[in-house]
Amino acid sequence: MTPARPIVEARAIHKHFGALHVLRGVDFSVEERQLVFVIGPSGSGKSTLLRCLNRLEEPSSGSIIVDGIDMLDARTDINKARQKIGMVFQSFNLYPHMTALGNVMLALRKVQGLDKAEAEARAQRALERVHLADRADHYPSQLSGGQQQRVAIARSIALEPRVMLFDEPTSALDPELVGEVLGVVESLARDGMTLLMVTHEMNFARKVSDRVIFMHQGKVHEQGSPETLFFQPQTAELQQFLSSLH
């Protein structure tokens, strides 16, 4: 039986910001339905890597294939390709003058061209998945930070992406609100969505991840199962990183 082809495959990714060499030949892949965490110290290139995958940052060189699409091919319709890649940032980026439902509907109307009734039905379903159906008519100012981040997640999953990227989705939240966002991430993984997440939530990564990638100085330094990375780190750099968290 041939192994499943990865849904995300990055090879030899380099990224320069002027003289600064942020990504130094990154190689990794993500299988369909996997939950993969990217960990590492600040400045190791984690967020830049995520942003290169959907070309919010242009890689300096390398190859990125997402769901069979060559993201770096000049002929690729990048706006269409991005619809397959949901992204949730540290900041929620909600429109303050729109309700939760309106924020989720917007991309469905503008990007996918759905009529109002269909967009509303899909947006309602997305809000249900993040346990916010009862907040559909609330404005961002009427929602907690955790609820706003869950609206941002609903906005992404409403587009029915093949892969979800999370860039530190809990870092802007008060500690008591972190759990509700992580609960949604865990439920999406249980539903079979492919997720790639940059996080500092090590206990969560240890508990739910299929694979963990440790980045150090712009490279994939170690990767493997959570049991291996957290309990049997192979390099001094990972040992030092883990000990610095305690």
Side-chain angles (χ1 to χ4, degrees), residues 38-203:
V38 183
I39 64 171
S42 294
S44 56
K46 306 181 300 293
S47 294
T48 300
L49 175 61
L50 234 55
R51 294 171 67 88
C52 282
L53 293 179
N54 62 4
R55 279 181 55 198
L56 288 176
E57 294 288 356
E58 288 291 335
S60 303
S61 62
S63 149
I64 296 170
I65 310 291
V66 179
D67 196 28
I69 296 172
D70 184 343
M71 297 296 291
L72 304 185
D73 189 324
R75 296 165 297 184
T76 295
D77 180 340
I78 196 62
N79 290 321
K80 191 174 177 187
R82 278 194 188 125
Q83 291 182 45
K84 291 177 173 253
I85 310 170
M87 184 145 188
V88 176
F89 301 89
Q90 297 175 25
S91 53
F92 323 126
N93 300 322
L94 300 179
Y95 289 102
H97 63 288
M98 290 182 166
T99 63
L101 185 68
N103 269 282
V104 178
M105 283 177 65
L106 185 63
L108 293 168
R109 298 292 308 276
K110 298 279 189 198
V111 177
Q112 295 196 340
L114 301 186
D115 63 41
K116 186 166 185 254
E118 191 178 351
E120 189 167 334
R122 271 219 343 229
Q124 282 284 9
R125 287 198 298 274
L127 287 171
E128 283 168 20
R129 282 185 80 181
V130 300
H131 315 300
L132 283 177
D134 60 336
R135 296 287 192 274
D137 295 330
H138 287 55
Y139 290 89
S141 61
Q142 299 170 303
L143 301 172
S144 71
Q147 289 169 334
Q148 289 183 60
Q149 187 61 293
R150 282 150 62 197
V151 173
I153 294 171
R155 178 178 57 193
S156 277
I157 63 176
L159 293 167
E160 299 177 349
R162 297 279 287 130
V163 180
M164 282 285 288
L165 310 177
F166 289 89
D167 186 11
E168 304 264 17
T170 60
S171 66
L173 300 178
D174 294 330
E176 68 271 16
L177 301 176
V178 168
E180 64 187 64
V181 172
L182 296 182
V184 167
V185 173
E186 191 172 0
S187 73
L188 293 176
R190 276 199 308 269
D191 289 346
M193 187 170 270
T194 305
L195 308 171
L196 183 63
M197 181 168 169
V198 170
T199 188
H200 281 106
E201 302 291 338
M202 296 301 147
N203 288 333

